[in-house]
Amino acid sequence: MSELTTKTAAELAAAVSTGEISAAEVTRAHLDRIAAVDDRVKAFLHVNPEDALAQARDVDRRRAAGEPLGALAGVPVAVKDLFTTVGAPATCGSKILEGWYPPYESTVTRRLRDAGAVLIGKTNMDEFAMGSSTENSGFGPSHNPWNLAKVPGGSSGGSAAAVAAYEAPLALGTDTGGSIRQPAAVCGIVGVKPTYGGNSRYGVVAFASSLDTPGPFGRTVLDAALLHEAMSGHDPCDSTSIDAPVPPVVEAARHGDVAGLRIGIVSEFSGDGYQPGVMTRFTEAVELLESLGAKVTEISCPHFKYALPAYYLIAPSEVSSNLARFDGMRYGLRTGGGSAEEVMAATRAAGFGAEVKRRIMLGTYALSSGYYDAYYGKAQQVRTLIIRDFDNAFSQVDVLISPPTPTTAFDIGERADDPMAMYLADLCTIPSNLAGNAAISVPIGLAPEDGLPTGLQVMAPPLADDRLYRVAAAVEAAFTERWGHPLLTEAKGLVTA
Amino acid sequence: MTVTYEEALQKYEPVFGLETHVELGTLTKMFCGCITTFGAEPNTHTCPVCLGLPGSLPVVNERAIEYTIKIGLALNCSIAAWCRFARKNYFYPDMPKNFQISQYDEPLCTDGYLDVGIGGKTVRVGIERVHLEEDTGKSLHVGGATGRIQGAEYSLVDYNRAGIPLVEIVTKPVPGTRFLAPEVAKAYVTELRDVLRSLDVSDVRMEEGSMRCDVNTSISLIGSATWGTRTETKNVNSLRSVERAVRSEIERQAWVLDEGGRVIQETRHFHEDSGVTTSGRSKEEAQDYRYFPEPDLVPVAPDADWVESIRASLPELPSARRARLIDSWSLSELDFEALRNAGALEAVEATVAAGASPADARKWWLGELARRANDAGLEVSELPITPADVARIAALVAAGTLNDQLARQVIEGVLDGEGTPDEVVAARGLAVVSDDSALLAAVDEAIAANPDVVARIRDGKVQAAGVLVGAVMKATRGQADAARVKDLILERLA
């Protein structure tokens, strides 16, 4: 493995900016790594080496011409396959979009290109981001670099696996119910769900519009912050984008500190269903935070227990409408003959996988006349109660913490036939999506019983994303010092191969 | 069908309501920057947003909100301080997203009215709501007999229209108009069109589809406490069709009920050629649109000051103009309607502004000019004569330079492109002959040629002089002043 692929994004950007190394060299090293390991990890759905190298050479040309380079100069970024990028397909992990080349660029990836990033490839995901393992991908699952028999989490599992396997230092994901934080936790990397509206959804193929949040993956807190800052900011093309300054996340990531910080443990997120090793590491992290000067208390958020059922009404309702456009009329798969209706039905029957169909049916039912108030309407009321729980908690503490997910990575196939078991993976992450606030998952060690990574979830109020980084950076620094090395270097086999 | 309109209304009371869709005349579409020009090459005014491509997002056109508020204010509606867009979900190939962004239970404007003049009376039509939505694309079904999707060999879709801002104006049910129901329906759409035109928010061309009506009609036995089941007639795309559709549905429903049947709630299609409605697919009635708030848009909360500034900028509305003109021109309601129905309001107003008396302006535009427009198959406003020309002709008549007959010849000259009224008068030599000596020869000739008439006049039948006046006028090619001619004849025979 080339040394270039183990460097952080911050190091690579600095080296490329000074001309110490070329962006082309960096990109080539990562393309080589992808070629060496991705037949086992299967993080990527689409890699175009020529295109990636062309982007890198353009960065080198800009540097040579004395043009200013951005914060991500020459840094490869893996992109979840639901961002539209010109020149590459966007399948969203679905057969129904196989072969579709979007004719326009998402705001987020355009900003990354402007910042000098090299979009190195499109990563695997659960179909239309519905799932927690990538097993719902129409193109086969990705594998966890810590143990190839395990899932990398999901839905942004390909992005998380790519970063954990050193195929890219950074990756883009989207988090609708935990789809960044949960895979980050089970892959032993950093993943952030920014404040809803902090990042543009323009060019992000919708799963559930009111919940979808683009966000960064990195191997370090600072790297995640660099990507976060580069991708964020108001976008007039997204009406739900917030017209406010981007929180100073890079600054916060450089100055980890929890001294005097008031931290609340969400008391609902423990007990039955939580893997002992996950709780062991969580407790250890709490002790660490206290030792660093934080004031830790327990806080009850009584309505969080309704978050999962509310989510499984709101998200599928939006899905049933958002995914209606995939009908074979204009792009993507078209199959069957006869009337337009017959073609639409046959195309959707053939193109969508089981989980997507399940959610379309759930959502169609929840929105239907006579049921709307009892399901969608009620779920929106629960959403309000969850926001109030957060408001109440944040009136007493600066941040909330919990495990990001109740277990470590599970076996591929283990939950594939049990949707409820799969849904529980997002138990702790969903409240932040419903409330639209910011949350991060940062590695805190390996569960003793299986040696797989666990994380700490930190939640902050909307637009206080910088708090996440301040806490996570402090945790990262203290644990790295305690362990003597970054957690990821403990991964056996593939990662160091 | 065996029930006539009159028979139907001896027995039944009709109630109608209208849903009118109006394409707004904004420069760009409702949720993207594509231009809205009509008639472009298919699928050239499109982008990821109006094509509903995966990942695209809508952004509200502020001008469309402003126009809708304008319409709401002109229709005496309350403007919502806060409202939302909603998704109306159904599958159809001309809908890029398979949902339409519309408004559901939170429309921008609610609870207004529009006063409609009919037969000298005023009928107040209640406005339920005015809301904003996006138009769909346009399908062209090729190869079928009916031009509808059923039976077509293939269909082509033009998405240029997809995303054009569309305002839907929904009336409250209008009861109590009885025999006048079809006329009131038409008069409402006419008045609405005039209001929208005065607001300059749409070109309101029914023939191009920028204004389209759905007509709801029901009937119930006279005296019944409840209204009957309504049908919704779509594809009603001219003012005349609005009237015919209501009339046709009244007749059809009366026939159904008289036969012991039951009117079913359904969508019906109006056929311009036959003037009747036929049943649409009853399948459409089973649609559940699964409305829910559009999560890709934030609520619209028009600032109260903004609404007030829009209100302050409203132009004079047709109703106010009507009141003003009736008052300042001393018209009856019927006179006014005659002018409006002739499409001559603007012309008369401009002619008055150019110096003619209201009476003269009306006389010419409703008389000679309306006749000539009718002969030519044109609207009076399309005649190649200006209000200033008409005012000049009226002035020449008032000054005695022209009489009415000569004035008609001047009009003919102007319409034929011979120049201004003065040029036509000069070129054709049309001025009234006011020199008595020139007329006397013609008078004497007429007297000599008509001894029997002369005898009757001398017997005291003075009205017989008209024959001699006619002869003199003919001899002078109309250039004499008829009153003066009559005086000269009577003087000669005295």
Side-chain angles (χ1 to χ4, degrees), chain A residues 390-411:
Chain A
F390 271 118
D391 288 346
N392 175 51
F394 289 131
S395 72
Q396 300 167 56
V397 296
D398 301 306
V399 294
L400 289 170
I401 57 170
S402 78
T405 181
T407 68
T408 55
F410 45 89
D411 288 338

Side-chain angles (χ1 to χ4, degrees), chain A residues 100 103-104 201-205 209 236-240 320-322 324-327 330-331 364 367-369 372 376, chain B residues 48 52-59 87 89 91 93 95-99 159 283 288 290-293 295-298:
Chain A
W100 181 60
Y104 74 106
R201 292 184 296 112
Y202 190 74
V204 179
V205 180
S209 310
C237 290
D238 176 359
S239 308
T240 63
S320 71
S321 179
N322 281 335
R325 73 192 69 196
F326 303 106
D327 61 5
R330 289 160 294 270
Y331 43 78
T364 302
L367 287 178
S368 55
S369 165
Y372 180 92
Y376 185 81
Chain B
L53 292 187
S56 66
L57 294 171
V59 176
R87 290 189 186 175
N89 295 285
F91 284 82
M95 278 224 302
K97 305 181 292 291
N98 284 325
F99 62 78
Y159 293 106
K283 224 173 155 185
D288 179 351
R290 296 179 286 115
Y291 283 100
F292 75 107
D296 284 330
L297 291 172
V298 291

Side-chain angles (χ1 to χ4, degrees), chain A residues 1 19 80 112 134 144 167 242 261 274 281 338 369 462 475 486:
Chain A
M1 181 162 65
K80 190 178 184 179
L112 296 187
T134 71
N144 191 316
E167 294 172 89
I242 299 171
L261 197 76
Y274 288 80
R281 293 300 171 226
S369 165
V475 168

Side-chain angles (χ1 to χ4, degrees), chain B residues 39-68:
Chain B
E41 195 66 16
N43 297 309
T44 53
H45 295 172
T46 59
C47 73
V49 176
C50 57
L51 287 177
L53 292 187
S56 66
L57 294 171
V59 176
V60 170
N61 181 335
E62 185 180 340
R63 184 57 58 85
I65 301 279
E66 181 191 327
Y67 281 9
T68 307

Side-chain angles (χ1 to χ4, degrees), chain A residues 175-467:
Chain A
D175 190 314
T176 304
S179 283
I180 290 175
R181 289 161 288 164
Q182 182 259 4
V186 302
C187 287
I189 61 171
V190 179
V192 182
K193 176 221 168 299
T195 297
Y196 180 83
N199 288 275
S200 172
R201 292 184 296 112
Y202 190 74
V204 179
V205 180
F207 159 15
S209 310
S210 74
L211 304 162
D212 293 345
T213 317
F217 285 103
R219 286 192 293 267
T220 69
V221 173
L222 178 59
D223 279 7
L226 287 170
L227 181 53
H228 188 141
E229 202 159 277
M231 68 192 280
S232 296
H234 178 62
D235 177 13
C237 290
D238 176 359
S239 308
T240 63
S241 137
I242 299 171
D243 193 0
V246 178
V249 292
V250 171
E251 172 68 14
R254 292 191 198 278
H255 299 97
D257 183 10
V258 294
L261 197 76
R262 299 169 302 163
I263 296 179
I265 300 171
V266 179
S267 46
E268 280 73 14
F269 290 150
S270 60
D272 281 356
Y274 288 80
Q275 189 180 319
V278 167
M279 294 318 293
T280 303
R281 293 300 171 226
F282 179 72
T283 307
E284 214 173 78
V286 170
E287 288 163 7
L288 176 85
L289 287 165
E290 283 178 322
S291 75
L292 295 173
K295 286 177 272 183
V296 183
T297 53
E298 223 178 84
I299 287 202
S300 173
C301 295
H303 299 98
F304 280 15
K305 59 176 171 289
Y306 303 116
L308 191 75
Y311 174 87
Y312 276 99
L313 289 167
I314 292 167
S317 294
E318 295 183 14
V319 163
S320 71
S321 179
N322 281 335
L323 270 60
R325 73 192 69 196
F326 303 106
D327 61 5
M329 292 293 128
R330 289 160 294 270
Y331 43 78
L333 182 72
R334 175 190 283 200
T335 186
S339 70
E341 277 153 3
E342 285 163 336
V343 171
M344 287 178 176
T347 299
R348 291 167 68 80
F352 288 140
E355 183 60 29
V356 169
K357 287 176 184 166
R358 180 171 15 251
R359 297 203 198 181
I360 289 172
M361 283 189 279
L362 274 173
T364 302
Y365 187 77
L367 287 178
S368 55
S369 165
Y371 296 96
Y372 180 92
D373 290 341
Y375 294 123
Y376 185 81
K378 191 61 79 180
Q380 290 291 10
Q381 290 173 336
V382 170
R383 193 170 186 173
T384 303
L385 294 174
I386 286 166
I387 292 170
R388 285 192 197 150
D389 278 1
F390 271 118
D391 288 346
N392 175 51
F394 289 131
S395 72
Q396 300 167 56
V397 296
D398 301 306
V399 294
L400 289 170
I401 57 170
S402 78
T405 181
T407 68
T408 55
F410 45 89
D411 288 338
I412 290 175
E414 185 184 329
R415 300 187 187 179
D417 299 322
D418 186 350
M420 275 310 294
M422 191 72 87
Y423 296 170
L424 287 173
D426 294 334
L427 195 61
C428 310
T429 42
I430 281 174
S432 291
N433 294 91
L434 289 173
N437 58 18
I440 194 170
S441 177
V442 59
I444 54 170
L446 305 180
E449 61 268 40
D450 55 18
L452 289 170
T454 65
L456 172 72
Q457 176 178 228
V458 185
M459 294 165 269
L463 290 176
D465 305 43
D466 50 323
R467 276 186 218 171

Side-chain angles (χ1 to χ4, degrees), chain B residues 249-269:
Chain B
E249 265 306 281
I250 289 171
E251 290 169 0
R252 188 192 65 84
Q253 293 181 16
W255 175 74
V256 168
L257 295 179
D258 282 358
E259 293 290 303
R262 163 180 91 76
V263 174
I264 51 171
Q265 188 171 341
E266 63 176 349
T267 298
R268 299 186 64 85
H269 292 277

